[in-house]
Amino acid sequence: MRKRVLEPERRTNPLIWCAALICTVLTIAVIITGFAVFVGYLVLRPKVPQMSVKSARLESIDYDMAGILAVKVSIVIAGQNDNARAHASFYKTSYALSFGGVKLAYLNAEAFDVPKNSSRELYYLVESTPIPLSPEQGETVEAALRQSHVAFDLKGTSRTRWRIWMLGSVKFWLHLDCQLKLPLDRTTLYPKCSTKSR
């Protein structure tokens, strides 16, 4: 009977042990960080700051037989920060006010901050230059005048950033898309229109 020759024992390379140790430490760190972020989220319950149209009013509208339109509209837009523990910043704010596909004005704002659990209002008085309309657009204006209200579209975006404890800095694009049906009698409208985050 032949004796089995024992092969020399192979030892694991120290580099492999180091790599395994590093991977283990990194895995544990990721798990702990994820748990801390989850607990922080549950404790703080952060809310995305919003932009919303607080009020709008048609100050005046002039439309003549030559198909020239001129309007004056006042709009109040508010930056809202409903977080009790987070300061918010708004920047790259730009909205376009249009009627029947014709751009009347751009409503822009410089970067601004909103304290915790607070809001800041932006006041716009939009006065368009006389705008020549096509016959189809003129018919839209005449129909609106008969219905005693004029529908404007307000679309655009704003960027928001706020810092949440251990979660770090959070950024969102806020998209606003409103239709404002403003009465001809200068009644102030309080639309329920806010931004959606993406």
Side-chain angles (χ1 to χ4, degrees), residues 119-192:
S119 65
R120 179 176 172 187
E121 293 185 341
L122 306 172
Y123 297 89
Y124 295 97
L125 183 60
V126 179
E127 190 167 3
S128 72
T129 56
I131 301 167
L133 300 180
S134 67
E136 294 80 12
Q137 291 168 334
E139 289 175 9
T140 303
V141 172
E142 290 171 9
L145 295 175
R146 286 193 298 271
Q147 295 170 1
S148 298
H149 69 263
V150 182
F152 296 92
D153 292 314
L154 183 63
K155 296 182 181 181
T157 58
S158 184
R159 193 107 161 104
T160 183
R161 175 180 62 240
W162 76 107
R163 187 166 186 81
I164 305 173
W165 189 48
M166 290 180 63
L167 302 182
S169 183
V170 183
K171 298 178 183 179
F172 278 97
W173 277 105
L174 304 176
H175 298 261
L176 187 70
D177 188 352
C178 301
Q179 187 176 65
L180 308 173
K181 293 185 177 180
L182 304 182
L184 295 179
D185 61 2
R186 298 186 64 192
T187 301
T188 300
L189 182 72
Y190 300 95
K192 293 181 179 178

Side-chain angles (χ1 to χ4, degrees), residues 13-171:
N13 192 317
L15 290 176
I16 294 176
W17 280 111
C18 286
L21 182 63
I22 291 171
C23 288
T24 303
V25 170
L26 287 176
T27 302
I28 292 171
V30 168
I31 291 171
I32 291 172
T33 303
F35 182 73
V37 168
F38 179 70
V39 170
Y41 179 84
L42 291 179
V43 170
L44 297 176
R45 298 221 177 247
K47 297 177 183 176
V48 176
Q50 297 290 317
M51 294 290 278
S52 61
V53 180
K54 303 304 275 185
S55 66
R57 183 170 66 194
L58 179 61
E59 302 291 348
S60 66
I61 180 167
D62 294 314
Y63 178 68
D64 60 24
M65 299 305 292
I68 305 298
L69 174 71
V71 298
K72 190 175 182 181
V73 180
S74 59
I75 300 174
V76 178
I77 301 175
Q80 296 174 279
N81 178 18
D82 294 330
N83 291 294
R85 296 187 179 101
H87 181 91
S89 298
F90 293 84
Y91 57 103
K92 293 185 179 178
T93 300
S94 181
Y95 302 110
L97 182 69
S98 58
F99 171 77
V102 178
K103 295 279 192 303
L104 301 177
Y106 287 96
L107 285 62
N108 300 319
E110 296 292 327
F112 63 95
D113 295 331
V114 177
K116 304 170 185 177
N117 207 22
S118 185
S119 65
R120 179 176 172 187
E121 293 185 341
L122 306 172
Y123 297 89
Y124 295 97
L125 183 60
V126 179
E127 190 167 3
S128 72
T129 56
I131 301 167
L133 300 180
S134 67
E136 294 80 12
Q137 291 168 334
E139 289 175 9
T140 303
V141 172
E142 290 171 9
L145 295 175
R146 286 193 298 271
Q147 295 170 1
S148 298
H149 69 263
V150 182
F152 296 92
D153 292 314
L154 183 63
K155 296 182 181 181
T157 58
S158 184
R159 193 107 161 104
T160 183
R161 175 180 62 240
W162 76 107
R163 187 166 186 81
I164 305 173
W165 189 48
M166 290 180 63
L167 302 182
S169 183
V170 183
K171 298 178 183 179

